[in-house]
């Protein structure tokens, strides 16, 4: 898979009641592929999550694990924030 730039994996807490969420942005995938990847990430991390506006959100702090999985699948993933 190739995208215009690297896939950014960051952590957010704003507007979430203090809860931490791992956010994956910049994936050049269609909706079905995003849903499938989100399911894989949630299973590997053992937590819940969702896909909103082409952004994958995984509940909890799982940045390193998510980056490793994305890089293993051929995405140019890197930590951000």
């Amino acid at each position: 898979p190739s995208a215009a730039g690297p896939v950014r994996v960051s952590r957010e807490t704003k507007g979430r009641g203090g809860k931490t969420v791992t956010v994956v942005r910049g994936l050049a995938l269609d909706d079905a592929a995003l849903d499938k990847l989100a399911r894989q990430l949630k299973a590997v991390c053992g937590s819940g999550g969702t896909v909103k506006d082409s952004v994958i959100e995984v509940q909890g702090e799982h940045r390193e694990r998510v980056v490793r999985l994305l890089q293993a699948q051929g995405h140019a993933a890197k930590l951000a924030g």
Side-chain angles (χ1 to χ4, degrees):
S2 62
V7 176
R8 304 287 180 165
V9 181
S10 60
R11 180 185 63 138
E12 290 184 1
T13 57
K14 279 195 172 188
R16 303 176 193 283
K19 308 265 171 128
T20 301
V21 176
T22 301
V23 180
V24 182
R25 288 189 171 90
L27 287 165
L29 300 172
D30 61 2
D31 290 340
L34 274 175
D35 286 337
K36 182 179 176 185
L37 180 58
R39 264 185 264 122
Q40 290 175 345
L41 292 174
K42 293 187 299 183
V44 166
C45 296
S47 64
T50 188
V51 178
K52 291 182 185 173
D53 301 324
S54 298
V55 175
I56 297 175
E57 297 179 357
V58 180
Q59 295 173 353
E61 168 61 62
H62 302 288
R63 293 185 308 160
E64 291 81 13
R65 191 175 297 162
V66 168
V67 168
R68 280 195 306 269
L69 182 87
L70 290 172
Q71 288 174 343
Q73 292 186 359
H75 297 282
K78 62 191 281 185
L79 293 176

